[in-house]
Amino acid sequence: MAKYGKNPRAIAGLVRDAEVHRDVYVDPEVFELEMEHLFPNSWIYVGHASQLSKPGDFITANIGRQPVMASRHSDGSIHVFYNRCPHKGVKIASEPCGNTGKFFRCPYHAWSFKTDGSLLAIPLKKGYEGTGFTDTQASDGLSKIKNVVIYRDFIFARLSENGVAFEDYFGESLSTIDNMADRSPEGKLAVEAVPIRYMHTCNWKMLVENQTDTCHPMVAHESSAGTAIKVWQREQGNSTETPMAVQLYGPFMSPYEFYEQSGIRIWPNGHGHTGVANSIHSNYSDVEGYLGQMVAAYGEKRAHEILGEVRHNTVYFPNIMVKGAVQILRNFIPIAVDRTLVESWVYRLVGAPDKLYERALMYNRFINAPTSIVGHDDLEMYERAQEGLKTNGNQWVNLRRLYESGEEADVTAVINGTSERQMRNQFHAWAKFMTMDMKQDVDQPVEAAE
C-alpha cells in the first residue's frame, strides 16, 4: 500500500521548519513521486547551445524519468522534444551526443523526422491512407516540449505545461550565469570536452545540499586537502610561487570564521549561493593578459566588477550547481533513491587565455573526478548518511543551524555563511514543486511522520 500516494498534505508533512523526514532520502515511493511531479514542475538544465554548433547536432538528457533530446535545425534554431518515436515508442537517439545529418531515423521501422522534430517520411506510407492517420498525434512527428528557454546559451526545459514562468522561477539567481558568461571577453562560453561522469551510491539531494554546506570542508577534507597542504609546506623550500594545484585545494581547509564572513545568499524557489563577500576562489594567481582583454571588452569599471564577483557554489534548484569563477557546472542526475549520476562540465571562456581553461580543467580533475583528492571524502559521507538514515532511533534530519523562528520562505537574503538556511530553502521549494500539481483531497488520510 502506498504510504504517500499523491496526498499533498502527507508529502508536505515530510518538511518541517528546520527538519526533514528521512523518507525524502530513503523512501522509493517518495523518489518516484519526485520523478513524476518535482522534476516535471521545475525548470531543468538540458545542455548548452555550444554543444549544438552545427545543423544536425543533437544531445540527449533526462528530465526525471523522461528521456529528451535537443537538436540544431537547418535554420539555426534549437528544438527540444521527447526522445521517442511516435510510432512504437523506440528511443530515437541512444548516444549522449552526435550529428544526425539532415534528419533523424528511427532504427525500428525507419520513420524519419526533420531536425525540428516534424515528420519527414514513413516507409510504405500508402498503408496509412484512409486510416485517419493525419488526425493522430503521430502525424505531427516527435513530441515537442513546449516550455523551453535558452538563456545565455544554457538550455532549460519544463515538462509541465502549467507552472512558474522561467523568469519568475530563477529571478535574480540568473546573475550567476551572467557572471560566468561575462568572464569571457566575448560574453560567451563553449563546451569543448565531454564531462566527467561517475555514479554516487546515495540520494541526489545529498549532493545538492553539500554544495552550500560550509561546516564540513575543514572536517571531512582534513585527511586529504589538509595532508596535501602539509606536504607542500614541508617541500616548498625557498619557492615563492604557489603551484596551481595547491591554490585549488588549499582553501578547502579554511576555518569556520572564513566561511562565516563569506556569507550565503538565498533566493526564492530554492536557489542560493555561498561566497557573497569572499570565497575559496578569491586568491588565484592572475593570468597574464586576461585583465587587459576584459578592460578592452567591458571598460575598466565593469571588468573589475565582473572579476570581483567570485561566488563559490550556486545551487539552481532542483539539481545543478554552477561554479562561475572556474566555469564548472555539476548536474546531479537521479537514477534511483540511492543512486545518482554526476556530470561535471567545464566551459571555456571564449576569447580568454588558455590558462583559464587549463585551470578549470585541473580544478574539475582535482576536486570533482572519481580520482580526485577531496571528492572521495564527500562520497564516503553520503554513503554513510544513506546507511545511517535507515536506523529507527531518530527519523528526522536536523537542519536547525542558525534557524530563527518565523523565517520567511521565498525571499532574497544574505545570511551567515555557516547557516543551514539554504538547505531549508531548498526543502521549502521541494515541498512546493512536489505538490503544486496535486489536488487536495480532504478525505485523504495523512499518516503522521514518526
Side-chain angles (χ1 to χ4, degrees), residues 268-293:
N269 297 322
H271 317 302
H273 78 88
T274 51
V276 178
N278 198 9
S279 87
I280 68 171
H281 306 302
S282 297
N283 297 316
Y284 295 159
S285 297
D286 294 334
V287 173
E288 185 177 357
Y290 177 47
L291 179 59
Q293 288 182 313

Side-chain angles (χ1 to χ4, degrees), residues 18-20 394 396-401 420 423:
E19 292 180 319
V20 295
N394 178 3
W396 291 89
V397 173
N398 191 298
L399 300 177
R400 193 165 292 272
R401 181 168 177 77
E420 292 176 335
M423 300 175 205

